[in-house]
């Protein structure tokens, strides 16, 4: 599971405010989502300019590892964001997490079943 808290939009600081005030609320939500989706690893993608948040999260993650709230705590890695607006797109963020340049991957069109198309496969618009 990848959690994007990069905030690439200019002037956006909502995630930073939450992380500085109550990082455990963020971690709790992340662990609930991880339990529901049954993932074995979580990658937190944090903006590199947020050194204060990085320090807070590093301490909170160490506390979490020292006293895990669940028996099978998934592996959690804190990754530095590239600071590029494009990394807000999911495949570009994954590329950046993998250590590559944060560019969107080319993907084929997605097909969905829709009641509007009588259950036939139709391309998303």
């Amino acid at each position: 599971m990848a959690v994007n808290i990069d905030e690439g939009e200019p002037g956006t600081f909502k995630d930073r405010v939450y992380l500085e005030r109550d990082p455990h609320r963020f971690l709790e939500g992340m662990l609930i989502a991880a339990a529901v989706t049954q993932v074995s690893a979580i990658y937190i993608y944090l903006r590199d300019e947020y050194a204060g948040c990085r320090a807070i999260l590093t301490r909170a993650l160490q506390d979490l590892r020292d006293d895990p709230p669940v028996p099978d705590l998934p592996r959690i890695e804190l990754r530095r964001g590239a600071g590029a607006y494009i990394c807000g797109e999911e495949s570009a963020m994954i590329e950046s997490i993998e250590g590559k340049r944060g560019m969107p991957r080319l993907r084929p069109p997605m097909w969905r079943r829709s009641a509007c198309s009588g259950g036939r496969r139709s391309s998303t618009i």
Side-chain angles (χ1 to χ4, degrees):
M1 181 170 75
V3 181
N4 185 359
I5 48 176
D6 183 64
E7 293 187 317
E9 299 86 12
T12 304
F13 305 108
K14 64 177 176 39
D15 293 342
R16 185 181 76 187
V17 171
Y18 289 124
L19 290 172
E20 289 174 344
R21 292 185 181 167
D22 192 3
H24 297 284
R25 183 178 300 191
F26 161 75
L27 294 174
E28 182 179 330
M30 179 187 73
L31 289 175
I32 290 169
V36 169
T37 57
Q38 299 178 345
V39 299
S40 60
I42 303 170
Y43 299 93
I44 303 171
Y45 190 71
L46 178 66
R47 185 177 200 83
D48 195 38
E49 291 89 348
Y50 289 178
C53 288
R54 178 171 302 285
I56 291 168
L57 270 179
T58 300
R59 282 192 303 272
L61 286 171
Q62 190 55 51
D63 292 345
L64 192 65
R65 289 181 187 109
D66 291 343
D67 187 20
V70 292
D72 295 324
L73 189 67
R75 180 172 47 92
I76 304 170
E77 291 187 30
L78 187 55
R79 296 289 179 100
R80 290 184 173 185
Y85 179 78
I86 192 68
C87 289
E89 193 274 335
E90 68 178 298
S91 66
M93 179 186 63
I94 293 169
E95 290 283 311
S96 182
I97 287 172
E98 292 174 345
K100 302 172 190 166
R101 186 172 178 210
M103 295 297 291
R105 295 177 180 169
L106 295 176
R107 295 182 284 184
M110 296 178 66
W111 296 93
R112 302 269 190 241
R113 292 200 181 268
S114 166
C116 296
S117 63
R120 296 184 309 269
R121 290 171 44 138
S122 59
S123 178
T124 58
I125 299 175

